[in-house]
Amino acid sequence: MAPTDTSAPPRVPFWRDPAKRALVFQAAALILVFGIGYFLFVNTQANLARQNIATGFSFLGNEASFEIGESVIPYSAADTYFRALLVGALNTIKVAFIGIVLTTILGTLVGVARLSKNWLLSKLAGGFIETMQNIPVLLQLFFWYAIFYESFPAPRQALHPLPGVFLCNRGLIFGIPLKDPAHGAMFWALVAALILSWFLHRWARLRQARTGQIFPAIRCGLLLCVTLPLLVWWGYGAPTTMDMPVLRGFNFTGGMTVSPEFSALLIGLVLYTSAFVAEIVRAGIQSVGTGQVEAAMAVGLKSGQVLHLVILPQALRVIIPPLTSQMLNLTKNSSLAIAIGFPDFVAVANTTINQTGQAIEGVALIMVVYLFFSLSTSFFMNWYNKKMALVER
């Protein structure tokens, strides 16, 4: 008879093994979630069938039969619901993108001003932050909409501060360059200048790391972005024909119009969110030790170089994560546009639901679209945060 191996550990029952027990609990949770989801789906389908309510997304191909006041792409009431929802999504993207850019710029300026040694400038920045943070964003939207719609005159009595610029309760109307092939070439010239600027900036960083010499890459890049499109414009004969607004009947035709709804929404969102961004910027700058600033100044760096080379690279690592949350808040708060009549995605989707009666599909589309916006913003900011992260050696 073979001897028994007494050195082997005793066999542990699976209900006392933490790893196996965790797998069982996770499987049970997964089955429970799918079971509840299946029950809700079947129950909803049965209720909709009993009330003769159509389901599915086939309505997206039907004619919308309603107009939309503002659109980035051509649209008419004869187009489909899909195109109407696309117009709403593009309007939301327009507000969110412009709002994020303006909020970042304004919030950074106010945050830096909050730390200024100038007493008046610091107090003004602090007053702006306290005021904007403590007034609900919806009230701010109503306030700015009332300013634009109730305070400005009708089109026939429109204010005319500059040639080709009119301000009335229909919005800000101004002339724009008439469509010309030169504009497309200028756009591609700008893209080429941005790409060249990126390579120039990268070369300057490598050169500084190798030799210690600083190259003014930002100034050269800005100069390139301005001069290259202008050279292309001059090469096409410098077209200057303008599409000027003209008063016809009760409104202006021609030119470009920035509506009161869009202006009120953009200003309200930017002012409200920039107050929070300013506090984030202030906290990020104050997280950098004063000893590093003093050491940078001791080696002869100027104030701008200290800010650009010492403070911002370290402060951005503190600023970026909460800044991402504020960008997502601005995008989600843009759904309040329905309160002042701006046709964003929620407003267009609500009109679609009222006409088709398919509320579940409409709400699902709203959730999917805003989830896509949020995940896209988070993906980009997480990539940027990882790029700016401190690399240990």
Side-chain angles (χ1 to χ4, degrees):
M1 179 176 180
T4 305
D5 185 8
T6 57
S7 62
R11 188 179 181 84
V12 179
F14 77 91
W15 61 85
R16 291 185 178 176
D17 187 337
K20 293 177 181 177
R21 201 166 52 204
L23 287 176
V24 171
F25 287 151
Q26 291 179 48
L30 196 63
I31 292 172
L32 181 64
V33 169
F34 273 102
I36 293 174
Y38 178 75
F39 171 75
L40 292 176
F41 177 77
V42 172
N43 194 35
T44 303
Q45 290 286 333
N47 288 332
L48 291 174
R50 187 168 58 250
Q51 298 179 20
N52 295 323
I53 297 177
T55 58
F57 293 92
S58 58
F59 70 93
L60 292 175
N62 298 339
E63 182 177 311
S65 302
F66 64 88
E67 294 287 351
I68 299 178
E70 295 186 51
S71 175
V72 179
I73 58 176
Y75 171 81
S76 71
D79 288 320
T80 62
Y81 283 113
F82 176 80
R83 192 169 182 84
L85 292 169
L86 179 62
V87 169
L90 291 176
N91 284 343
T92 299
I93 291 174
K94 182 175 73 172
V95 170
F97 179 76
I98 299 175
I100 286 173
V101 173
L102 295 180
T103 295
T104 305
I105 296 173
L106 181 62
T108 303
L109 293 176
V110 175
V112 173
R114 186 74 178 87
L115 297 173
S116 174
K117 295 179 181 177
N118 186 307
W119 182 86
L120 180 59
L121 185 61
S122 176
K123 293 302 178 186
L124 286 176
F128 171 83
I129 292 170
E130 294 298 331
T131 303
M132 294 302 165
Q133 277 188 342
N134 292 290
I135 298 178
V137 63
L138 185 58
L139 291 182
Q140 294 194 36
L141 297 186
F142 284 139
F143 172 78
W144 290 110
Y145 183 66
I147 290 288
F148 282 104
Y149 200 75
E150 302 293 341
S151 302
F152 290 118
R156 288 182 179 277
Q157 294 79 36
L159 303 177
H160 189 36
L162 294 171
V165 178
F166 299 91
L167 190 60
C168 62
N169 58 11
R170 302 294 176 89
L172 177 65
I173 305 137
F174 51 91
I176 57 174
L178 198 63
K179 190 175 181 181
D180 191 275
H183 300 147
M186 291 174 67
F187 170 76
W188 290 113
L190 177 62
V191 172
L194 289 173
I195 295 174
L196 290 175
S197 300
W198 183 80
F199 280 109
L200 182 64
H201 182 69
R202 185 173 181 178
W203 170 82
R205 290 183 60 186
L206 294 175
R207 178 176 179 266
Q208 182 182 349
R210 189 175 64 253
T211 65
Q213 297 179 353
I214 299 175
F215 184 81
I218 295 179
R219 279 178 284 177
C220 292
L222 291 175
L223 185 64
L224 192 63
C225 292
V226 173
T227 55
L228 194 57
L230 285 178
L231 287 175
V232 172
W233 174 72
W234 179 76
Y236 271 81
T240 56
T241 307
M242 298 288 291
D243 180 14
M244 302 299 289
V246 178
L247 182 62
R248 297 185 187 280
F250 296 102
N251 203 356
F252 287 93
T253 59
M256 184 174 180
T257 302
V258 181
S259 70
E261 292 82 7
F262 176 78
S263 303
L265 178 64
L266 186 64
I267 293 175
L269 291 177
V270 168
L271 293 181
Y272 178 76
T273 313
S274 62
F276 294 91
V277 173
E279 286 293 82
I280 293 170
V281 171
R282 179 188 62 80
I285 293 176
Q286 286 184 327
S287 69
V288 181
T290 55
Q292 297 190 39
V293 178
E294 293 171 356
M297 298 182 70
V299 299
L301 294 181
K302 299 178 181 178
S303 301
Q305 292 176 321
V306 173
L307 181 66
H308 175 63
L309 299 175
V310 178
I311 297 177
L312 284 182
Q314 299 182 77
L316 281 177
R317 299 184 180 101
V318 179
I319 291 172
I320 292 173
L323 183 63
T324 304
S325 299
Q326 293 305 321
M327 289 181 176
L328 296 178
N329 284 340
L330 187 145
T331 304
K332 288 182 284 190
N333 285 337
S334 68
S335 61
L336 297 173
I338 193 172
I340 56 174
F342 180 73
D344 73 328
F345 187 79
V346 175
V348 176
N350 280 339
T351 305
T352 302
I353 291 172
N354 290 334
Q355 290 194 355
T356 62
Q358 295 188 240
I360 295 177
E361 289 82 358
V363 173
L365 285 174
I366 294 173
M367 294 170 65
V368 169
V369 167
Y370 275 87
L371 182 64
F372 174 75
F373 291 159
S374 298
L375 291 179
S376 301
T377 306
S378 297
F379 176 79
F380 174 77
M381 292 303 293
N382 288 336
W383 168 81
Y384 186 64
N385 187 37
K386 186 177 180 182
K387 185 178 176 63
M388 298 301 296
L390 187 62
V391 179
E392 298 286 351
R393 297 182 180 178

